[in-house]
Amino acid sequence: MQSSPLTLKEQKRIEALKSLNILDSENEREYDDITDLAAAICDTPIAIVSLVDRHRQWFKAKIGIDICEVDREHSFCTHAIENPYEIMEVNDARLDPRFKDNPYTFGDDAIIFYAGAPLIDSDGNALGTLCVIDHKPRKLTDIQLSSLDKLAKQVVKLFKLHAYNSHLKDKEIELKDTNTKLKNFAGVVSHDMKMPLANMIVTFDILKAKYAKSLDEGGLEYLANLKQSAFKMSDYITNILAHYESDNITGSPESNEIFDINELLESIEEMLDINDNCEIEFPEQNREINTNKIALEQIFLNLIGNSIKYNDKDVIKVKIDFEEDDYNYYFGIRDNGIGIPEEEKKRVFELFSTVASKDRNGNVGNGIGLSTVRKLIFNLGGKIDIKSKVGIGTTIKFSIEKR
């Protein structure tokens, strides 16, 4: 027989088949399981998930046959998809005028019996069949025919899932590419801005030193405000860079090192330049852990820094806890700060989201720190949770997976 002419209906069917992006894909266990079931239920040596392309019939899954495709010219399934809402059953192909001269009807592995349930998409396109084959004449029971039809519907559902996952993968690649471009852009812009800002800050000091006597109180205040704004911008840029660079921090064994927790916390205390009105309580028992030190340092700098900045008490109190089991390290940071309203807790980790209007020193946050913290913890295989009461304080607990 010859393949069907490329009518408008056939063209739409081929386009629908191509859109699945499934032709010539790798074997998948889900499809293999269906052919195994079809062969077992119908008691046939061969079962195939077959897709009918323009000039060929390709097998997505098969049992009892070694070849992966055949020319459509001699395809049984081409006839099956012509009546998409019926199972085509050929009891003895040697007696059927459509197949009596077909080369596959003869030989040691001849196709004598064939039953194919069309695989119909939501637009009514018959993309192929779930078919069973035997080397001798036979007839399926009503239960077997019904089961074959139900299995064919499951194959179509797998097609939909495959198309959806393929679409998601394409979007994932697209988003990764966009994110890489944004990260590179942020890096270039941030680095290019850091030097001019540093020059501006130095210039403010030079102007103040050289022209202080020539400026009135208002002029000096303007200079101070400009310098403070430059510092804020510099801090903002630093946080943006840290946020994007956190993507490169992982919890892989290669990035781990063994270090002392309390020594790390002491170095962070020095970096934060803690005043006398701030009490930080370290874990009672000092421990050595094996994880990404750079990432954990960044996490603690942000969280402890927030506990200090967003605190309205005369004496700031911060308590740090540590526990571990066979799988994770667990950390807790509890403070007596201003707290977070219940309705705001869901968005504290969103990039550029700020909850408090101003910190202890009257500065407005940029909403980057906690977003970076969550990303770092996620990259280390951990989780983070917040409990807080307005006016009383906040407790943040997070874990890091042992690798």
Side-chain angles (χ1 to χ4, degrees):
M1 61 153 282
Q2 295 184 352
S3 59
S4 304
L6 195 59
T7 62
L8 180 59
K9 179 181 179 181
E10 176 67 3
Q11 184 176 345
K12 290 182 178 179
R13 190 191 71 80
I14 295 294
E15 289 174 355
L17 176 60
K18 300 289 187 184
S19 70
L20 290 178
N21 197 27
I22 198 170
L23 289 171
D24 301 309
S25 59
E26 298 292 331
N27 290 346
E28 296 180 63
R29 184 68 247 176
E30 294 83 358
Y31 295 93
D32 293 338
D33 288 343
I34 287 180
T35 54
D36 290 350
L37 277 172
I41 292 170
C42 297
D43 192 25
T44 58
I46 299 173
I48 304 171
V49 173
S50 167
L51 296 172
V52 182
D53 200 357
R54 177 72 181 102
H55 297 292
R56 61 170 177 156
Q57 176 182 331
W58 178 76
F59 305 151
K60 173 59 181 173
K62 61 189 186 300
I63 183 174
I65 190 171
D66 294 328
I67 58 176
C68 295
E69 63 178 62
V70 297
D71 291 338
R72 186 172 174 182
E73 180 182 357
H74 305 296
S75 166
F76 278 59
C77 295
T78 292
H79 293 276
I81 65 174
E82 288 177 358
N83 296 299
Y85 297 101
E86 295 180 8
I87 295 178
M88 186 181 89
E89 186 176 18
V90 180
N91 306 113
D92 190 338
R94 297 168 299 184
L95 306 178
D96 192 308
R98 295 172 295 179
F99 307 110
K100 65 179 183 178
D101 296 325
N102 191 308
Y104 291 112
T105 308
F106 305 96
D108 295 334
D109 297 322
I111 299 176
I112 305 300
F113 169 80
Y114 170 92
L119 304 172
I120 311 165
D121 69 9
S122 57
D123 295 322
N125 297 301
L127 308 174
T129 71
L130 172 62
C131 61
V132 291
I133 295 171
D134 205 341
H135 307 304
K136 59 185 179 182
R138 60 176 305 153
K139 181 176 177 59
L140 296 184
T141 66
D142 290 342
I143 292 177
Q144 289 172 326
L145 289 169
S146 175
S147 299
L148 189 65
D149 182 59
K150 290 176 181 177
L151 287 174
K153 288 181 171 62
Q154 293 305 309
V155 173
V156 174
K157 289 182 179 179
L158 287 176
F159 287 166
K160 290 181 180 179
L161 186 61
H162 177 94
Y164 181 71
N165 287 337
S166 179
H167 176 72
L168 286 180
K169 287 179 181 179
D170 290 341
K171 286 297 181 183
E172 182 181 9
I173 293 172
E174 184 181 326
L175 286 172
K176 283 183 178 179
D177 181 60
T178 302
N179 189 54
T180 299
K181 290 177 181 177
L182 284 172
K183 191 189 328 184
N184 293 338
F185 175 76
V188 170
V189 172
S190 299
H191 281 116
D192 288 349
M193 291 177 66
K194 291 279 278 187
M195 185 57 70
L197 280 171
N199 291 336
M200 287 171 62
I201 292 169
V202 172
T203 303
F204 294 146
D205 290 335
I206 293 173
L207 288 172
K208 182 177 179 181
K210 191 171 182 179
Y211 299 104
K213 294 181 180 179
S214 302
L215 295 172
D216 58 13
E217 185 176 339
L220 292 173
E221 186 176 346
Y222 286 140
L223 276 180
N225 290 338
L226 286 172
K227 182 178 180 180
Q228 185 63 29
S229 296
F231 271 123
K232 285 183 180 179
M233 180 63 75
S234 179
D235 181 59
Y236 189 78
I237 292 170
T238 299
N239 284 327
I240 288 178
L241 286 172
H243 178 80
Y244 282 111
E245 288 170 358
S246 66
D247 287 331
N248 301 321
I249 294 179
T250 68
S252 62
E254 294 80 9
S255 61
N256 288 356
E257 57 181 297
I258 298 174
F259 58 92
D260 185 286
I261 295 177
N262 284 11
E263 285 185 7
L264 174 68
L265 293 172
E266 287 170 2
S267 68
I268 290 172
E269 189 176 29
E270 291 179 6
M271 282 188 274
L272 290 172
D273 193 21
I274 305 299
N275 296 323
D276 293 336
N277 67 335
C278 180
E279 300 175 2
I280 298 182
E281 185 179 343
F282 293 168
E284 293 182 4
Q285 292 186 341
N286 194 15
R287 304 274 185 88
E288 280 191 344
I289 64 174
N290 183 11
T291 190
N292 190 313
K293 184 178 181 180
I294 296 174
L296 188 60
E297 180 181 78
Q298 185 66 33
I299 292 168
F300 273 124
L301 273 171
N302 273 286
L303 295 181
I304 296 174
N306 283 346
S307 291
I308 296 170
K309 287 192 296 184
Y310 298 102
N311 198 305
D312 55 355
K313 308 300 188 296
D314 293 334
V315 177
I316 300 169
K317 294 184 179 182
V318 181
K319 187 177 187 305
I320 302 168
D321 298 314
F322 171 79
E323 294 180 359
E324 65 177 308
D325 58 24
D326 293 337
Y327 307 101
N328 296 285
Y329 299 118
Y330 300 95
F331 302 91
I333 300 176
R334 185 168 71 248
D335 64 49
N336 63 337
I338 61 176
I340 303 170
E342 186 67 28
E343 64 274 12
E344 300 289 347
K345 286 201 300 185
K346 290 183 178 180
R347 66 182 190 91
V348 294
F349 293 114
E350 294 176 5
L351 187 61
F352 304 124
S353 175
T354 56
V355 175
S357 56
K358 292 183 180 180
D359 65 15
R360 186 180 182 89
N361 298 316
N363 298 317
V364 178
N366 50 46
I368 301 175
L370 284 180
S371 175
T372 304
V373 165
R374 182 176 65 172
K375 188 186 292 188
L376 287 169
I377 291 172
F378 178 79
N379 289 345
L380 295 176
K383 299 179 180 178
I384 186 168
D385 180 64
I386 292 182
K387 292 184 179 179
S388 184
K389 289 186 177 181
V390 175
I392 296 178
T394 299
T395 299
I396 295 181
K397 294 184 178 181
F398 67 93
S399 63
I400 291 176
E401 185 179 6
K402 291 183 177 180
R403 301 287 176 93

